[in-house]
Protein backbone atom coordinates (compact mmCIF):
# COMPACT_ATOMS: atom_id res chain seq x y z
CA UNK A 1 0.00 0.00 0.00
CA UNK A 2 2.86 2.34 0.66
CA UNK A 3 5.07 4.44 -1.53
CA UNK A 4 7.82 2.43 -3.20
CA UNK A 5 10.57 4.03 -5.28
CA UNK A 6 12.87 1.43 -6.90
CA UNK A 7 16.20 2.80 -8.02
CA UNK A 8 15.32 2.00 -11.61
CA UNK A 9 12.57 4.60 -11.35
CA UNK A 10 14.69 7.35 -9.83
CA UNK A 11 14.44 9.75 -12.75
CA UNK A 12 10.73 9.16 -13.17
CA UNK A 13 10.20 9.81 -9.48
CA UNK A 14 12.18 13.01 -9.60
CA UNK A 15 10.34 14.33 -12.63
CA UNK A 16 6.80 13.22 -11.92
CA UNK A 17 6.71 12.66 -8.16
CA UNK A 18 5.44 9.16 -8.74
CA UNK A 19 4.25 7.64 -5.47
CA UNK A 20 2.67 4.23 -5.86
CA UNK A 21 1.07 4.45 -2.45
CA UNK A 22 -1.27 1.56 -1.83
CA UNK A 23 -2.18 3.06 1.56
CA UNK A 24 -4.38 5.01 -0.79
CA UNK A 25 -2.74 6.54 -3.85
CA UNK A 26 -3.35 10.18 -4.66
CA UNK A 27 -3.69 11.21 -8.32
CA UNK A 28 -0.34 11.67 -9.97
CA UNK A 29 0.75 15.12 -11.07
CA UNK A 30 2.09 15.80 -14.57
CA UNK A 31 5.81 15.98 -15.24
CA UNK A 32 7.53 19.16 -14.07
CA UNK A 33 10.79 20.77 -15.03
CA UNK A 34 11.69 21.08 -11.36
CA UNK A 35 12.51 17.90 -9.43
CA UNK A 36 9.89 16.77 -6.96
CA UNK A 37 10.68 15.98 -3.33
CA UNK A 38 8.18 14.41 -0.94
CA UNK A 39 8.07 11.62 1.60
CA UNK A 40 4.56 10.51 0.77
CA UNK A 41 1.66 11.63 -1.37
CA UNK A 42 -0.93 9.93 0.79
CA UNK A 43 -3.46 12.42 2.21
CA UNK A 44 -3.73 10.59 5.56
CA UNK A 45 -0.12 11.52 6.32
CA UNK A 46 -1.43 15.00 7.05
CA UNK A 47 -3.39 13.71 10.04
CA UNK A 48 -2.42 13.59 13.72
CA UNK A 49 -4.13 10.82 15.72
CA UNK A 50 -5.54 10.90 19.25
CA UNK A 51 -5.97 7.35 20.58
CA UNK A 52 -8.51 6.60 23.27
CA UNK A 53 -10.13 3.62 24.97
CA UNK A 54 -13.73 4.63 24.41
CA UNK A 55 -14.98 3.16 27.69
CA UNK A 56 -12.33 5.12 29.61
CA UNK A 57 -12.73 8.56 28.04
CA UNK A 58 -16.01 10.16 29.11
CA UNK A 59 -19.38 8.73 30.17
CA UNK A 60 -21.69 10.83 28.03
CA UNK A 61 -24.82 8.69 28.40
CA UNK A 62 -25.40 6.86 31.72
CA UNK A 63 -28.37 5.02 30.19
CA UNK A 64 -26.01 2.65 28.30
CA UNK A 65 -23.91 1.64 31.32
CA UNK A 66 -25.81 -1.56 32.32
CA UNK A 67 -24.62 -1.63 35.95
CA UNK A 68 -26.66 -4.79 36.55
CA UNK A 69 -24.16 -6.84 34.51
CA UNK A 70 -21.22 -8.43 36.32
CA UNK A 71 -18.84 -6.68 33.90
CA UNK A 72 -19.66 -3.24 35.32
CA UNK A 73 -17.08 -1.40 37.47
CA UNK A 74 -14.52 -3.92 38.73
CA UNK A 75 -11.86 -1.99 40.66
CA UNK A 76 -8.34 -3.17 41.47
CA UNK A 77 -6.27 -1.89 44.39
CA UNK A 78 -2.63 -2.73 45.08
CA UNK A 79 -0.49 -2.50 48.20
CA UNK A 80 1.65 0.27 46.72
CA UNK A 81 -1.39 2.50 46.25
CA UNK A 82 -1.94 1.90 42.53
CA UNK A 83 -5.56 1.55 41.47
CA UNK A 84 -7.12 0.36 38.23
CA UNK A 85 -10.37 -1.10 36.94
CA UNK A 86 -11.09 -4.10 34.71
CA UNK A 87 -14.81 -3.50 34.25
CA UNK A 88 -16.90 -1.21 32.11
CA UNK A 89 -16.83 2.39 33.34
CA UNK A 90 -19.25 4.14 31.03
CA UNK A 91 -17.33 5.83 28.22
CA UNK A 92 -19.32 5.89 24.98
CA UNK A 93 -19.87 7.58 21.61
CA UNK A 94 -21.69 10.47 23.28
CA UNK A 95 -18.77 11.11 25.62
CA UNK A 96 -16.34 11.30 22.69
CA UNK A 97 -18.56 13.45 20.50
CA UNK A 98 -19.41 15.88 23.30
CA UNK A 99 -15.67 16.45 23.79
CA UNK A 100 -14.60 16.52 20.16
CA UNK A 101 -13.65 20.19 20.48
CA UNK A 102 -11.27 19.29 23.30
CA UNK A 103 -9.47 16.99 20.85
CA UNK A 104 -9.39 19.36 17.88
CA UNK A 105 -8.18 22.23 20.09
CA UNK A 106 -4.95 20.27 20.54
CA UNK A 107 -4.37 20.04 16.79
CA UNK A 108 -5.59 16.47 16.25
CA UNK A 109 -7.59 15.61 13.15
CA UNK A 110 -8.29 11.88 13.66
CA UNK A 111 -9.42 9.73 16.58
CA UNK A 112 -8.48 6.07 16.86
CA UNK A 113 -10.97 4.32 19.13
CA UNK A 114 -10.84 0.80 20.53
CA UNK A 115 -13.05 -1.80 18.78
CA UNK A 116 -16.74 -0.97 18.56
CA UNK A 117 -18.11 -4.52 18.10
CA UNK A 118 -20.24 -6.45 20.60
CA UNK A 119 -18.32 -7.96 23.52
CA UNK A 120 -19.61 -10.11 26.42
CA UNK A 121 -21.40 -8.05 29.08
CA UNK A 122 -20.22 -10.14 32.05
CA UNK A 123 -16.79 -10.55 33.60
CA UNK A 124 -14.77 -13.60 32.52
CA UNK A 125 -14.56 -16.29 35.19
CA UNK A 126 -11.74 -18.34 33.65
CA UNK A 127 -8.18 -17.55 32.70
CA UNK A 128 -5.31 -16.55 34.95
CA UNK A 129 -5.66 -14.33 38.02
CA UNK A 130 -4.73 -10.66 37.56
CA UNK A 131 -1.43 -9.41 38.97
CA UNK A 132 -0.22 -5.84 39.07
CA UNK A 133 2.40 -6.49 36.39
CA UNK A 134 2.23 -8.79 33.40
CA UNK A 135 0.11 -9.73 30.42
CA UNK A 136 -2.69 -12.15 29.47
CA UNK A 137 -4.33 -12.29 32.89
CA UNK A 138 -8.08 -12.12 32.32
CA UNK A 139 -9.83 -13.62 35.34
CA UNK A 140 -12.47 -11.19 36.54
CA UNK A 141 -11.96 -8.85 33.59
CA UNK A 142 -14.71 -7.57 31.28
CA UNK A 143 -14.57 -6.70 27.59
CA UNK A 144 -14.62 -2.94 28.23
CA UNK A 145 -11.69 -2.59 25.79
CA UNK A 146 -13.59 -4.06 22.83
CA UNK A 147 -11.04 -6.68 21.79
CA UNK A 148 -13.25 -9.67 22.77
CA UNK A 149 -15.69 -9.61 19.87
CA UNK A 150 -18.66 -11.98 19.83
CA UNK A 151 -20.56 -10.30 16.98
CA UNK A 152 -18.44 -8.24 14.62
CA UNK A 153 -21.54 -6.96 12.79
CA UNK A 154 -23.16 -5.49 15.89
CA UNK A 155 -22.21 -2.50 18.04
CA UNK A 156 -21.37 -3.15 21.65
CA UNK A 157 -24.39 -2.10 23.68
CA UNK A 158 -22.32 0.21 25.89
CA UNK A 159 -21.41 2.59 23.03
CA UNK A 160 -24.42 3.98 21.09
CA UNK A 161 -27.23 6.21 22.29
CA UNK A 162 -30.64 6.94 20.75
CA UNK A 163 -29.95 8.74 17.48
CA UNK A 164 -26.20 8.12 17.76
CA UNK A 165 -25.28 4.83 16.13
CA UNK A 166 -21.90 4.44 14.44
CA UNK A 167 -22.95 6.11 11.18
CA UNK A 168 -24.38 9.10 13.02
CA UNK A 169 -21.30 9.25 15.24
CA UNK A 170 -18.76 9.26 12.39
CA UNK A 171 -20.81 11.86 10.53
CA UNK A 172 -20.97 14.12 13.57
CA UNK A 173 -17.25 13.67 14.22
CA UNK A 174 -16.52 14.60 10.61
CA UNK A 175 -18.56 17.76 11.08
CA UNK A 176 -16.22 18.54 13.98
CA UNK A 177 -13.17 18.05 11.75
CA UNK A 178 -12.24 14.58 13.01
CA UNK A 179 -11.77 11.38 11.06
CA UNK A 180 -12.65 8.16 12.89
CA UNK A 181 -10.11 5.31 12.87
CA UNK A 182 -11.65 1.84 13.30
CA UNK A 183 -9.74 -0.75 15.34
CA UNK A 184 -9.77 -4.02 13.38
CA UNK A 185 -9.44 -7.49 14.94
CA UNK A 186 -9.54 -10.67 12.86
CA UNK A 187 -7.09 -12.78 14.87
CA UNK A 188 -9.35 -13.67 17.76
CA UNK A 189 -12.68 -13.37 19.49
CA UNK A 190 -13.48 -13.56 23.19
CA UNK A 191 -11.96 -15.80 25.88
CA UNK A 192 -13.25 -19.25 25.04
CA UNK A 193 -12.26 -21.87 27.61
CA UNK A 194 -11.16 -22.57 31.23
CA UNK A 195 -14.52 -21.30 32.54
CA UNK A 196 -15.75 -23.17 35.68
CA UNK A 197 -19.24 -22.53 34.30
CA UNK A 198 -19.95 -21.31 30.74
CA UNK A 199 -20.87 -17.63 30.47
CA UNK A 200 -23.12 -16.01 27.85
CA UNK A 201 -21.21 -15.02 24.73
CA UNK A 202 -17.76 -16.19 25.72
CA UNK A 203 -16.18 -18.34 23.03
CA UNK A 204 -19.10 -17.75 20.69
CA UNK A 205 -19.49 -15.91 17.38
CA UNK A 206 -22.68 -14.55 15.84
CA UNK A 207 -23.42 -13.31 12.34
CA UNK A 208 -25.22 -10.19 11.13
CA UNK A 209 -28.62 -11.82 11.61
CA UNK A 210 -27.73 -12.80 15.18
CA UNK A 211 -27.30 -16.50 14.38
CA UNK A 212 -24.67 -18.54 16.22
CA UNK A 213 -22.01 -19.54 13.69
CA UNK A 214 -19.22 -20.71 16.01
CA UNK A 215 -18.90 -21.93 19.60
CA UNK A 216 -15.78 -23.05 21.43
CA UNK A 217 -18.06 -24.81 23.94
CA UNK A 218 -15.58 -24.10 26.74
CA UNK A 219 -13.14 -26.63 25.29
CA UNK A 220 -9.39 -26.05 24.97
CA UNK A 221 -8.27 -25.68 21.35
CA UNK A 222 -6.73 -29.14 21.19
CA UNK A 223 -10.13 -30.70 21.92
CA UNK A 224 -11.92 -28.92 19.08
CA UNK A 225 -13.03 -30.98 16.07
CA UNK A 226 -13.58 -28.56 13.15
CA UNK A 227 -13.76 -31.39 10.61
CA UNK A 228 -16.80 -32.96 12.26
CA UNK A 229 -18.33 -30.31 14.50
CA UNK A 230 -19.79 -27.38 12.49
CA UNK A 231 -19.60 -24.96 15.41
CA UNK A 232 -15.82 -25.53 15.68
CA UNK A 233 -15.02 -24.77 12.05
CA UNK A 234 -14.04 -21.09 12.60
CA UNK A 235 -11.30 -21.91 15.11
CA UNK A 236 -7.67 -22.97 15.12
CA UNK A 237 -6.83 -26.01 17.21
CA UNK A 238 -3.66 -24.64 18.82
CA UNK A 239 -3.63 -21.98 21.55
CA UNK A 240 -2.35 -18.50 20.81
CA UNK A 241 -3.06 -15.50 23.06
CA UNK A 242 -4.29 -16.26 26.60
CA UNK A 243 -7.55 -18.23 26.38
CA UNK A 244 -8.89 -16.32 23.37
CA UNK A 245 -10.81 -18.04 20.59
CA UNK A 246 -8.22 -18.11 17.80
CA UNK A 247 -9.75 -17.58 14.35
CA UNK A 248 -8.70 -19.62 11.34
CA UNK A 249 -8.79 -16.76 8.84
CA UNK A 250 -7.15 -18.92 6.18
CA UNK A 251 -10.55 -20.53 5.76
CA UNK A 252 -12.64 -18.72 3.13
CA UNK A 253 -15.77 -18.69 5.30
CA UNK A 254 -13.94 -17.01 8.17
CA UNK A 255 -12.30 -14.43 5.92
CA UNK A 256 -15.70 -13.73 4.35
CA UNK A 257 -17.13 -13.09 7.81
CA UNK A 258 -14.52 -10.49 8.75
CA UNK A 259 -14.33 -8.77 5.37
CA UNK A 260 -18.10 -8.41 5.39
CA UNK A 261 -18.10 -6.96 8.90
CA UNK A 262 -15.43 -4.35 8.25
CA UNK A 263 -16.93 -3.34 4.92
CA UNK A 264 -20.12 -2.64 6.88
CA UNK A 265 -18.35 -0.23 9.23
CA UNK A 266 -16.50 1.43 6.37
CA UNK A 267 -19.89 2.02 4.80
CA UNK A 268 -20.89 3.79 8.00
CA UNK A 269 -18.03 6.25 7.90
CA UNK A 270 -14.83 4.69 9.26
CA UNK A 271 -12.01 6.68 7.67
CA UNK A 272 -9.00 4.43 8.33
CA UNK A 273 -8.07 1.10 9.95
CA UNK A 274 -5.79 0.35 12.85
CA UNK A 275 -5.13 -3.42 12.69
CA UNK A 276 -4.63 -5.45 15.85
CA UNK A 277 -2.24 -8.39 16.53
CA UNK A 278 -0.80 -8.43 13.01
CA UNK A 279 1.95 -10.99 13.54
CA UNK A 280 -0.51 -13.50 15.03
CA UNK A 281 -2.22 -13.82 11.62
CA UNK A 282 -0.56 -15.45 8.57
CA UNK A 283 0.85 -12.77 6.30
CA UNK A 284 -0.94 -14.29 3.32
CA UNK A 285 -4.24 -13.68 5.10
CA UNK A 286 -3.41 -10.01 5.51
CA UNK A 287 -2.66 -9.81 1.80
CA UNK A 288 -6.09 -11.30 1.07
CA UNK A 289 -7.88 -9.08 3.60
CA UNK A 290 -6.17 -5.98 2.22
CA UNK A 291 -6.93 -6.94 -1.38
CA UNK A 292 -10.62 -7.42 -0.70
CA UNK A 293 -11.04 -4.30 1.42
CA UNK A 294 -9.19 -2.13 -1.08
CA UNK A 295 -11.23 -3.49 -3.93
CA UNK A 296 -14.02 -1.39 -2.41
CA UNK A 297 -11.93 1.34 -0.73
CA UNK A 298 -8.71 1.68 -2.75
CA UNK A 299 -7.43 4.74 -0.88
CA UNK A 300 -8.00 3.37 2.63
CA UNK A 301 -5.14 3.99 5.03
CA UNK A 302 -4.36 1.04 7.30
CA UNK A 303 -1.74 0.80 10.02
CA UNK A 304 -0.98 -2.35 11.96
CA UNK A 305 0.27 -3.33 15.38
CA UNK A 306 3.23 -5.65 14.87
CA UNK A 307 4.41 -5.82 18.46
CA UNK A 308 8.12 -6.16 17.80
CA UNK A 309 11.08 -3.81 18.14
CA UNK A 310 12.94 -5.17 15.09
CA UNK A 311 12.40 -2.98 12.04
CA UNK A 312 12.97 -5.96 9.75
CA UNK A 313 10.13 -7.85 11.42
CA UNK A 314 7.58 -5.06 11.35
CA UNK A 315 8.66 -3.68 7.98
CA UNK A 316 7.75 -6.82 6.04
CA UNK A 317 4.03 -6.09 6.50
CA UNK A 318 4.34 -2.78 4.67
CA UNK A 319 4.79 -4.62 1.37
CA UNK A 320 1.84 -5.87 -0.71
CA UNK A 321 2.51 -9.60 -0.35
CA UNK A 322 2.06 -9.32 3.43
CA UNK A 323 -0.76 -6.82 3.66
CA UNK A 324 0.67 -3.58 2.32
CA UNK A 325 -0.17 -1.64 5.48
CA UNK A 326 1.61 1.01 7.45
CA UNK A 327 2.75 -0.09 10.91
CA UNK A 328 3.16 1.42 14.34
CA UNK A 329 6.84 2.34 14.70
CA UNK A 330 7.90 0.18 17.66
CA UNK A 331 11.66 0.64 17.08
CA UNK A 332 11.25 4.42 17.34
CA UNK A 333 9.06 3.96 20.43
CA UNK A 334 11.94 2.10 22.10
CA UNK A 335 14.38 4.88 21.23
CA UNK A 336 12.02 7.54 22.57
CA UNK A 337 11.87 5.62 25.83
CA UNK A 338 15.66 5.67 26.06
CA UNK A 339 15.71 9.41 25.45
CA UNK A 340 12.84 10.61 27.61
CA UNK A 341 12.95 8.04 30.41
CA UNK A 342 16.69 7.33 30.58
CA UNK A 343 18.10 10.65 29.28
CA UNK A 344 19.87 9.24 26.24
CA UNK A 345 20.80 11.61 23.41
CA UNK A 346 18.92 12.23 20.19
CA UNK A 347 21.52 10.12 18.37
CA UNK A 348 19.70 6.90 19.34
CA UNK A 349 16.94 7.90 16.92
CA UNK A 350 19.23 7.86 13.89
CA UNK A 351 19.03 4.10 13.37
CA UNK A 352 15.22 4.13 13.59
CA UNK A 353 14.51 6.64 10.82
CA UNK A 354 15.25 4.38 7.80
CA UNK A 355 15.12 7.33 5.42
CA UNK A 356 16.93 5.25 2.81
CA UNK A 357 16.95 1.57 2.03
CA UNK A 358 14.13 -0.93 1.74
CA UNK A 359 13.27 -1.90 5.32
CA UNK A 360 9.87 -0.20 4.95
CA UNK A 361 7.90 0.39 1.78
CA UNK A 362 7.66 3.99 2.98
CA UNK A 363 8.97 5.20 6.37
CA UNK A 364 7.06 8.47 6.03
CA UNK A 365 3.75 6.62 6.39
CA UNK A 366 4.64 4.90 9.67
CA UNK A 367 2.60 5.86 12.73
CA UNK A 368 4.89 7.09 15.50
CA UNK A 369 4.26 6.93 19.25
CA UNK A 370 5.92 6.55 22.67
CA UNK A 371 3.33 4.46 24.54
CA UNK A 372 -0.17 3.00 24.37
CA UNK A 373 -2.68 0.76 26.17
CA UNK A 374 -0.61 -2.44 25.86
CA UNK A 375 2.54 -1.23 27.64
CA UNK A 376 3.44 0.99 30.58
CA UNK A 377 2.82 4.63 29.89
CA UNK A 378 6.06 6.54 29.38
CA UNK A 379 7.54 7.64 32.72
CA UNK A 380 8.72 11.07 31.68
CA UNK A 381 8.77 14.47 33.32
CA UNK A 382 6.54 17.25 32.00
CA UNK A 383 9.55 18.47 30.03
CA UNK A 384 10.08 14.96 28.67
CA UNK A 385 6.52 14.85 27.32
CA UNK A 386 6.96 18.29 25.79
CA UNK A 387 10.24 17.26 24.14
CA UNK A 388 8.74 13.99 22.88
CA UNK A 389 5.81 15.82 21.29
CA UNK A 390 8.16 18.34 19.67
CA UNK A 391 9.90 15.40 18.00
CA UNK A 392 6.80 13.44 17.00
CA UNK A 393 5.10 16.44 15.40
CA UNK A 394 8.11 17.54 13.34
CA UNK A 395 9.92 14.30 12.37
CA UNK A 396 8.84 11.82 9.70
CA UNK A 397 5.73 9.76 10.31
CA UNK A 398 2.17 10.26 11.55
CA UNK A 399 2.02 11.03 15.30
CA UNK A 400 -0.26 9.00 17.59
CA UNK A 401 -0.82 10.23 21.16
CA UNK A 402 -2.57 8.11 23.83
CA UNK A 403 -5.40 9.79 25.73
CA UNK A 404 -4.31 11.60 28.89
CA UNK A 405 -0.73 12.06 27.74
CA UNK A 406 -1.55 15.74 27.34
CA UNK A 407 -1.30 15.96 31.14
CA UNK A 408 1.06 13.05 31.89
CA UNK A 409 -1.89 10.94 33.07
CA UNK A 410 -0.87 7.82 35.05
CA UNK A 411 2.71 8.10 33.79
CA UNK A 412 4.77 4.93 34.16
CA UNK A 413 1.71 2.76 34.88
CA UNK A 414 1.10 -0.62 33.22
CA UNK A 415 -2.32 -2.04 32.31
CA UNK A 416 -3.43 -3.29 35.74
CA UNK A 417 -1.75 -0.45 37.64
CA UNK A 418 -3.61 2.44 36.01
CA UNK A 419 -2.60 2.65 32.33
CA UNK A 420 -6.24 2.39 31.21
CA UNK A 421 -7.92 4.34 33.99
CA UNK A 422 -11.04 6.43 33.43
CA UNK A 423 -10.23 9.98 32.33
CA UNK A 424 -13.53 11.83 32.62
CA UNK A 425 -14.72 15.41 32.61
CA UNK A 426 -12.68 16.49 35.64
CA UNK A 427 -9.39 15.45 34.05
CA UNK A 428 -10.37 17.05 30.76
CA UNK A 429 -10.91 20.32 32.55
CA UNK A 430 -7.64 20.01 34.48
CA UNK A 431 -5.71 19.17 31.30
CA UNK A 432 -6.82 22.36 29.53
CA UNK A 433 -4.35 24.45 31.54
CA UNK A 434 -1.61 21.84 31.83
CA UNK A 435 1.76 22.88 30.34
CA UNK A 436 2.13 19.58 28.46
CA UNK A 437 -1.16 20.18 26.64
CA UNK A 438 -0.34 23.82 25.97
CA UNK A 439 2.97 22.93 24.32
CA UNK A 440 1.44 19.95 22.50
CA UNK A 441 -1.27 22.17 20.99
CA UNK A 442 1.37 24.69 19.93
CA UNK A 443 3.52 22.27 17.93
CA UNK A 444 0.59 20.17 16.65
CA UNK A 445 -1.01 23.24 15.10
CA UNK A 446 2.24 24.13 13.37
CA UNK A 447 2.32 20.65 11.84
CA UNK A 448 -1.35 20.98 10.93
CA UNK A 449 -0.53 24.04 8.82
CA UNK A 450 2.72 22.81 7.22
CA UNK A 451 2.77 20.40 4.30
CA UNK A 452 6.53 20.04 4.74
CA UNK A 453 6.13 18.70 8.30
CA UNK A 454 3.30 16.41 7.24
CA UNK A 455 4.66 14.85 4.07
CA UNK A 456 8.08 16.26 3.28
CA UNK A 457 11.38 14.43 2.96
CA UNK A 458 13.52 14.55 6.10
CA UNK A 459 17.16 15.51 5.77
CA UNK A 460 19.02 15.20 9.06
CA UNK A 461 21.67 17.76 9.96
CA UNK A 462 22.24 17.02 13.67
CA UNK A 463 21.10 14.24 15.99
CA UNK A 464 23.35 14.44 19.01
CA UNK A 465 22.90 14.87 22.74
CA UNK A 466 20.19 17.42 23.47
CA UNK A 467 20.10 18.74 19.91
CA UNK A 468 18.17 17.67 16.81
CA UNK A 469 18.26 19.79 13.65
CA UNK A 470 16.78 18.72 10.31
CA UNK A 471 15.04 19.87 7.16
CA UNK A 472 11.63 18.70 5.99
CA UNK A 473 11.09 19.45 2.28
CA UNK A 474 7.95 19.15 0.18
CA UNK A 475 8.23 20.19 -3.47
CA UNK A 476 5.53 18.72 -5.65
CA UNK A 477 3.22 20.03 -8.34
CA UNK A 478 2.56 23.70 -7.54
CA UNK A 479 3.42 23.42 -3.85
CA UNK A 480 6.90 23.94 -2.43
CA UNK A 481 7.81 24.41 1.23
CA UNK A 482 10.92 23.83 3.32
CA UNK A 483 10.86 23.55 7.10
CA UNK A 484 13.98 23.90 9.20
CA UNK A 485 13.41 22.27 12.60
CA UNK A 486 15.56 22.88 15.68
CA UNK A 487 14.91 20.85 18.85
CA UNK A 488 16.53 21.32 22.25
CA UNK A 489 15.75 18.87 25.05
CA UNK A 490 18.34 20.41 27.36
CA UNK A 491 17.77 22.51 30.45
CA UNK A 492 19.41 25.65 29.03
CA UNK A 493 18.76 27.66 25.84
CA UNK A 494 20.66 26.48 22.76
CA UNK A 495 22.16 29.04 20.33
CA UNK A 496 22.17 27.91 16.70
CA UNK A 497 23.79 29.43 13.61
CA UNK A 498 22.73 27.03 10.86
CA UNK A 499 24.44 27.44 7.50
CA UNK A 500 24.49 23.90 6.11
CA UNK A 501 22.70 23.83 2.74
CA UNK A 502 20.89 26.99 3.78
CA UNK A 503 18.66 28.59 1.13
CA UNK A 504 18.58 32.31 0.64
CA UNK A 505 15.30 34.21 0.81
CA UNK A 506 12.60 34.68 3.39
CA UNK A 507 12.21 32.29 6.33
CA UNK A 508 9.14 32.69 8.53
CA UNK A 509 9.09 31.73 12.19
CA UNK A 510 6.18 29.26 12.36
CA UNK A 511 5.22 30.42 15.87
CA UNK A 512 5.71 34.19 15.87
CA UNK A 513 5.31 34.92 12.18
CA UNK A 514 8.53 36.94 12.19
CA UNK A 515 10.30 36.89 8.81
CA UNK A 516 14.06 36.53 8.50
CA UNK A 517 15.60 37.39 5.12
CA UNK A 518 18.84 35.57 4.35
CA UNK A 519 21.36 36.42 1.66
CA UNK A 520 23.28 33.75 -0.26
CA UNK A 521 25.61 31.87 2.13
CA UNK A 522 24.21 33.51 5.26
CA UNK A 523 23.42 31.41 8.33
CA UNK A 524 20.06 31.36 10.07
CA UNK A 525 20.79 32.44 13.64
CA UNK A 526 18.33 31.53 16.38
CA UNK A 527 18.11 30.55 20.02
CA UNK A 528 16.12 27.43 20.91
CA UNK A 529 14.64 27.64 24.42
CA UNK A 530 15.26 24.95 26.99
CA UNK A 531 12.97 22.02 26.18
CA UNK A 532 11.88 23.98 23.16
CA UNK A 533 11.46 23.87 19.40
CA UNK A 534 11.93 26.40 16.62
CA UNK A 535 10.46 25.88 13.16
CA UNK A 536 11.31 28.16 10.23
CA UNK A 537 9.40 27.90 6.96
CA UNK A 538 10.51 28.92 3.48
CA UNK A 539 8.05 28.92 0.60
CA UNK A 540 9.25 28.24 -2.94
CA UNK A 541 11.45 25.94 -4.96
CA UNK A 542 14.77 24.55 -3.74
CA UNK A 543 17.56 26.49 -5.42
CA UNK A 544 20.90 25.38 -3.95
CA UNK A 545 22.79 22.67 -5.81
CA UNK A 546 24.02 20.96 -2.63
CA UNK A 547 20.55 20.68 -1.11
CA UNK A 548 19.04 19.58 -4.43
CA UNK A 549 21.63 16.82 -4.66
CA UNK A 550 21.03 15.61 -1.10
CA UNK A 551 17.26 15.61 -1.61
CA UNK A 552 17.51 13.81 -4.93
CA UNK A 553 19.47 11.04 -3.24
CA UNK A 554 16.85 10.72 -0.49
CA UNK A 555 14.00 10.76 -3.01
CA UNK A 556 15.56 7.98 -5.05
CA UNK A 557 15.70 5.72 -2.00
Amino acid sequence: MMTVRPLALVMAALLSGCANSGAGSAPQSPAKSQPEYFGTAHPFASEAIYFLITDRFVDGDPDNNYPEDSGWDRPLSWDNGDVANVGFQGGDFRGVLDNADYITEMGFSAVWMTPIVANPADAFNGGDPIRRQGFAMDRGKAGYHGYWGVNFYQLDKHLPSPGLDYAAFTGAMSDKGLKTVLDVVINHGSPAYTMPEPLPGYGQLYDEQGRLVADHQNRPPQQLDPANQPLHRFFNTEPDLAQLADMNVEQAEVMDYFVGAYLKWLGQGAAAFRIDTVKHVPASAWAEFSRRIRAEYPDLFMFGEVYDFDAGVIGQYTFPDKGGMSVLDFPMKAALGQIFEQDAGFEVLASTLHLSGDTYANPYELTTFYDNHDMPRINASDEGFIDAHNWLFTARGIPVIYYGSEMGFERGKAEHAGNRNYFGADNLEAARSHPIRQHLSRIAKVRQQSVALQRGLQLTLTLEGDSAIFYRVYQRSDEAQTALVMLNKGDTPMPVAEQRMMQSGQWRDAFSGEVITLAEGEALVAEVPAHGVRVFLREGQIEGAELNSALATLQSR
Side-chain angles (χ1 to χ4, degrees), residues 401-431:
I401 303 299
Y402 189 35
Y403 82 99
S405 297
E406 63 270 25
M407 61 181 289
F409 183 60
E410 302 288 5
R411 62 189 86 190
K413 301 294 181 63
E415 176 187 350
H416 298 134
N419 172 293
R420 304 178 180 185
N421 278 356
Y422 182 75
F423 201 51
D426 289 346
N427 276 318
L428 263 71
E429 187 58 35

Side-chain angles (χ1 to χ4, degrees), residues 457-470:
L457 290 176
Q458 178 165 340
L459 178 61
T460 302
L461 300 175
T462 300
L463 283 178
E464 184 177 359
D466 293 336
S467 174
I469 303 173
F470 50 89

Side-chain angles (χ1 to χ4, degrees), residues 94 101 241 288 320 327 424 427 454 495 505 522 551 556:
R94 174 58 61 193
D101 291 345
L241 292 172
E288 175 67 5
V327 291
N427 276 318
Q454 295 165 7
E522 189 176 1
L551 293 169
S556 72

Side-chain angles (χ1 to χ4, degrees), residues 60-88:
D61 180 5
D63 288 341
N64 61 18
N65 288 350
Y66 301 96
E68 67 275 12
D69 295 331
S70 67
W72 172 257
D73 191 25
R74 301 181 64 84
L76 299 174
S77 297
W78 304 102
D79 292 342
N80 70 342
D82 286 345
V83 296
N85 200 297
V86 292
F88 289 94

Side-chain angles (χ1 to χ4, degrees), residues 255 274 344 412 415 526:
M255 180 63 74
R274 179 268 184 183
E415 176 187 350

Side-chain angles (χ1 to χ4, degrees), residues 441-450 453-454 510-511 535 537:
S441 301
R442 183 171 179 262
I443 190 59
K445 288 176 181 176
V446 167
R447 183 184 188 274
Q448 198 170 50
Q449 297 165 10
S450 169
L453 294 182
Q454 295 165 7
F511 298 109
V535 178
L537 300 172

Side-chain angles (χ1 to χ4, degrees), residues 380-404:
S381 64
D382 286 3
E383 292 79 11
F385 277 95
I386 292 167
D387 292 332
H389 295 153
N390 288 340
W391 169 265
L392 287 176
F393 283 82
T394 56
R396 70 105 176 105
I398 304 168
V400 181
I401 303 299
Y402 189 35
Y403 82 99

